[in-house]
Amino acid sequence: MKRSMIIKRYLFTASKKERARTIRIILGLIFSTMVLVCVLSIMDHLQNGRFSYIKKIRSFPVVIKAEKEFDIAELSNRFYDEAIVFQYKTGEGLLKIGSGEYAVSIRYIDSSYEGGLVIKGDKGKELLIPYRVFLANRSNQVTITTIEKGKVARIAPKNKTYSSFGLFQTSLGSEFDNSTIFLPLEDAPIDAPTYIAFIPFSISEEELINKASELNLGRVITWQESESSLYGAMLLEKNVMSILLMSLFVIIAVQVFQNASAFSLVKKNELATLYFIGYTKLDIALIASGVSFLMSFISFVIGSLCAKLFLYFVRYGVPALGNEAIKIDLSIIPLVFIIFTTYSIFVYVYSFLRMLKQDLLREVVNAI
């Protein structure tokens, strides 16, 4: 009898008791795979959503801290088919609105700005302020105090009064929404650092980084570098969650070991018969490997499909996840599959070969 036929018969046995045992193992693996894939995919979806907001509003995919003069119109034409290009400046100041005072970061912008926020006004006398700051004070008159180069002193405080043109509230839900204001670019201090931002739409971020570096306009900063603390923390959170989820497989691993032992015990007469009619230990080890591999493969395939089906419907029932499709994060599945399948094969091979010990064979022969 060929090994493939024996594997098929062992896996899809007609015995209800043995088939129920096999089904329990497979169902356990299917459930564990589905939970792992779903949780990691949802976490990845939430992270990508947050990072997309960050890249659109706060840090941008690729930024050059300009160290020399440049023509923004020329840069925009150069990247016309590949990316949006705009400039902005940054600074710090003190915002006085009503009875409140706030230390704020200032972003000076103009009509080239494509960060999801637009400012319009009459020669730079209007500004955008955070919605929560306005709500707490309800005043349209705003005074901004900045430290700039003075005519007499080297640096001096400078006060400017603005009318509140508009309010903003982003989807970041972070300190950015509470401590950032937007002013026209022409109001920026002369010594304020200038940034050139790139948002790709037809090329990858890696290609954009290389092209931006070739401009030699200044230091190229990626969004991962700008948000290194947040990026590292979220990656650590994902890795820790992955490790915790792997504990599910510890439970399944114990079950697999117990079922492999019970399975081989039930099959000990057949294994002994195969050994006596000429099957080598290698043949029996290959049979055990085949049974184990097929069980793992079937479980992981069905588990991944169930996860995909679950993720397709869960986005409609959980508004916080948004209406975008949740893509399956398969980055960890191949590694998990290899590790667990290797373990399973080892356990089944060990259990099958253990039945071929001389004392057990003698016991089988005497029973026959």
Side-chain angles (χ1 to χ4, degrees), residues 18-303:
E18 295 178 18
R19 188 166 62 243
R21 184 182 294 110
T22 303
I23 291 174
R24 283 200 303 270
I25 299 173
I26 292 177
L27 288 177
L29 288 173
I30 289 174
F31 176 77
S32 298
T33 302
M34 187 181 75
V35 170
L36 179 66
V37 173
C38 286
V39 173
L40 291 180
S41 298
I42 291 174
M43 287 183 61
D44 192 59
H45 176 77
L46 293 175
Q47 287 179 357
N48 289 339
R50 183 169 179 79
F51 287 147
S52 68
Y53 290 132
I54 288 173
K55 288 189 284 186
K56 182 179 180 182
I57 300 170
R58 187 168 76 184
S59 298
F60 312 113
V62 180
V63 172
I64 295 178
K65 187 175 183 180
E67 298 171 355
K68 56 181 73 174
E69 295 296 325
F70 64 92
D71 186 343
I72 190 68
E74 181 182 340
L75 287 179
S76 296
N77 290 332
R78 181 170 180 175
F79 288 87
Y80 178 77
D81 294 327
E82 300 172 329
I84 298 170
V85 184
F86 56 93
Q87 65 177 327
Y88 65 94
K89 294 187 177 184
T90 60
E92 304 294 329
L94 181 67
L95 169 67
K96 297 180 180 179
I97 173 173
S99 59
E101 294 186 354
Y102 305 88
V104 293
S105 298
I106 305 173
R107 182 164 288 182
Y108 300 94
I109 61 177
D110 65 3
S111 58
S112 70
Y113 189 78
E114 294 288 348
L117 297 166
V118 179
I119 183 170
K120 298 178 182 178
D122 182 16
K123 297 182 181 180
K125 296 304 178 184
E126 296 174 329
L127 81 162
L128 286 170
I129 61 174
Y131 174 79
R132 292 180 183 176
V133 173
F134 174 81
L135 195 64
N137 297 274
R138 296 189 180 279
S139 175
N140 287 325
Q141 291 300 310
V142 176
T143 301
I144 304 295
T145 302
T146 56
I147 303 296
E148 303 179 18
K149 288 183 178 180
K151 295 180 179 179
V152 179
R154 188 172 182 181
I155 57 173
K158 193 171 185 178
N159 294 324
K160 294 181 182 179
T161 301
Y162 296 86
S163 298
S164 175
F165 169 72
L167 314 175
F168 75 88
Q169 183 175 17
T170 72
S171 302
L172 295 175
S174 66
E175 192 63 26
F176 183 86
D177 282 8
N178 301 323
S179 62
T180 304
I181 62 172
F182 292 82
L183 290 172
L185 187 61
E186 55 264 32
D187 280 15
I190 298 175
D191 58 339
T194 301
Y195 296 91
I196 311 168
F198 300 81
I199 300 179
F201 57 79
S202 65
I203 61 174
S204 66
E205 290 184 13
E206 291 75 14
E207 292 175 315
L208 187 56
I209 291 171
N210 294 332
K211 291 195 173 187
S213 301
E214 293 172 358
L215 298 174
N216 294 319
L217 293 177
R219 179 168 172 258
V220 177
I221 306 170
T222 63
W223 71 271
Q224 291 97 331
E225 185 178 353
S226 301
E227 305 292 338
S228 57
S229 298
L230 176 62
Y231 185 70
M234 296 190 80
L235 285 182
L236 178 62
E237 178 185 357
K238 182 178 179 179
N239 292 333
V240 170
M241 182 61 70
S242 301
I243 293 172
L244 292 175
L245 286 171
M246 292 297 289
S247 62
L248 286 171
F249 287 90
V250 174
I251 300 173
I252 301 300
V254 173
Q255 183 186 12
V256 168
F257 182 83
Q258 293 176 341
N259 282 279
S261 300
F263 191 89
S264 60
L265 186 62
V266 171
K267 297 294 184 182
K268 68 178 181 178
N269 290 340
E270 295 184 28
L271 293 175
T273 303
L274 292 175
Y275 187 70
F276 281 129
I277 64 175
Y279 277 72
T280 65
K281 290 185 178 180
L282 176 61
D283 291 325
I284 294 174
L286 291 174
I287 292 171
S289 300
V291 171
S292 176
F293 176 81
L294 283 177
M295 289 174 61
S296 299
F297 181 78
I298 292 171
S299 301
F300 274 81
V301 169
I302 296 177

